[in-house]
Every structure is written in structure tokens, then in C-alpha cells.
Amino acid sequence: VGVHVAQALEAAHEKHIIHRNVSPESILIRSQDKVAKLGDMMLAKALEGIKAKQITRPGELVGNIAYMAPERTKSDVEADTRADLYGLGATLYALLTGKPPFEGKTLVETIAQIRQSDPIPPKKFQLSIPDKFQDVVMMLLAKRPELRYQTPGQAARALEQVAKYQGMTI
């Protein structure tokens, strides 16, 4: 799932598009070959060219908050593809642990955790998670965008290495 979604984000990145709502609900698994497809492009945004325009109001939070990158929770920061990579990390975290990295009792509490708290490493919930996989997920969940993978291609290659190491076919 991670490799396929990272590849989809790479294709969007090449066209200067950010998805802005990578979450478990936006991923579909094709039944005949089990390929994961990234859907729900309703909030996608072009970053340049004639289609690059403001589609939300300043300060408006759109998308699934639990999978939102810290910078997307701030009205004065422009998000880029690295915010989608955070969403991929949060989605993989949920697939591994059964819950998103942060869950507050209120929206404000959830946003505060996303901005300030470190996620509990997935191995605390599931010991069988390979260290290399956990490392990739935790890097995707870095608070600061410059500490994450810088492109979806980099994330895809890291996830491909994890899959090959585990003997999986992609």
C-alpha cells in the first residue's frame, strides 16, 4: 500500500499537484491485483500554472485532521508535497497500529498533538513491525517538512527497499 500510494503521489508531484487529504479513506484496493489506488482528489491543488489558485479560504482546515501534517494546521504556512508524505506516514501508521498517530478528545487537542507531540513508535503496539519499516514511517511523520523525505519518489524507493527486504513483490 505504501509503495503504491507513494508512486501515485510521485505522479501528482511531477504534475505539481498536492493531494491534501492522504488518509486511509482515500485509498482504494483494486480487487483483481491488490494494487492500492489513491482516490479522493476533491481537495487536490495545483501548485503552479493556470490552475494554481486558492481553493479554500485562509485558515480553513479541509481534509481528515487526524492525517494532516503539522504545517497544514497553520494558516500562515503554504503546504507542499511533503505534507502529502506526512499523510502517507500517518496512514501507514494507522494501518500498522489500528489508529492514527494522534487522537485528542477534541479537535483543538488533536491539532495540538499533531503540532507538538511525538508519535509513539508503531513497534510499541506491534512488535513484529520491521525496524526499517518503522524508521520510514517515523521519518514520514517528522514534524518539520525538511526532516521528511523531500519527494514522493524518495519515499517510494525507501518503501520499496522495505518490501524487498521482507520478500514482498511490488
Side-chain angles (χ1 to χ4, degrees):
V1 170
V3 171
H4 296 157
V5 173
Q7 290 169 341
L9 291 172
E10 184 175 23
H13 175 71
E14 289 170 358
K15 297 192 182 325
H16 307 284
I17 294 171
I18 57 172
H19 187 278
R20 301 194 322 160
N21 196 27
V22 179
S23 65
E25 294 83 14
S26 66
I27 298 169
L28 306 166
I29 307 295
R30 193 166 52 197
S31 60
Q32 69 260 32
D33 57 7
K34 304 300 183 214
V35 171
K37 297 290 189 176
L38 183 60
D40 189 18
M41 298 294 288
M42 304 260 302
L43 300 176
K45 179 182 178 186
L47 296 176
E48 60 183 48
I50 59 171
K51 298 201 187 280
K53 61 182 180 197
Q54 189 73 26
I55 58 175
T56 56
R57 293 185 293 274
E60 182 178 27
L61 293 178
V62 292
N64 190 328
I65 303 295
Y67 300 90
M68 196 173 282
E71 64 271 23
R72 286 217 37 238
T73 67
K74 301 172 184 173
S75 62
D76 61 338
V77 178
E78 191 64 36
D80 59 26
T81 194
R82 296 171 299 179
D84 284 345
L85 293 176
Y86 180 96
L88 172 58
T91 297
L92 293 174
Y93 187 98
L95 291 173
L96 292 170
T97 67
K99 61 183 187 170
F102 304 104
E103 293 180 300
K105 290 182 176 70
T106 66
L107 177 64
V108 172
E109 192 176 300
T110 301
I111 290 171
Q113 288 178 13
I114 289 169
R115 290 180 183 173
Q116 299 161 4
S117 299
D118 291 325
I120 297 168
K123 282 189 84 138
K124 295 277 187 188
F125 301 100
Q126 180 56 260
L127 289 173
S128 65
I129 296 169
D131 290 337
K132 198 171 186 76
F133 192 16
Q134 176 176 267
D135 293 345
V136 171
V137 171
M138 295 302 281
M139 186 167 173
L140 288 166
L141 290 173
K143 296 289 180 211
R144 296 187 1 234
E146 63 270 17
L147 298 178
R148 294 180 208 138
Y149 295 99
Q150 297 301 292
T151 68
Q154 289 175 344
R157 282 181 276 300
L159 289 163
E160 286 167 359
Q161 283 194 322
V162 169
K164 286 178 187 168
Y165 181 74
Q166 293 304 119
M168 298 175 180
T169 55
I170 304 169

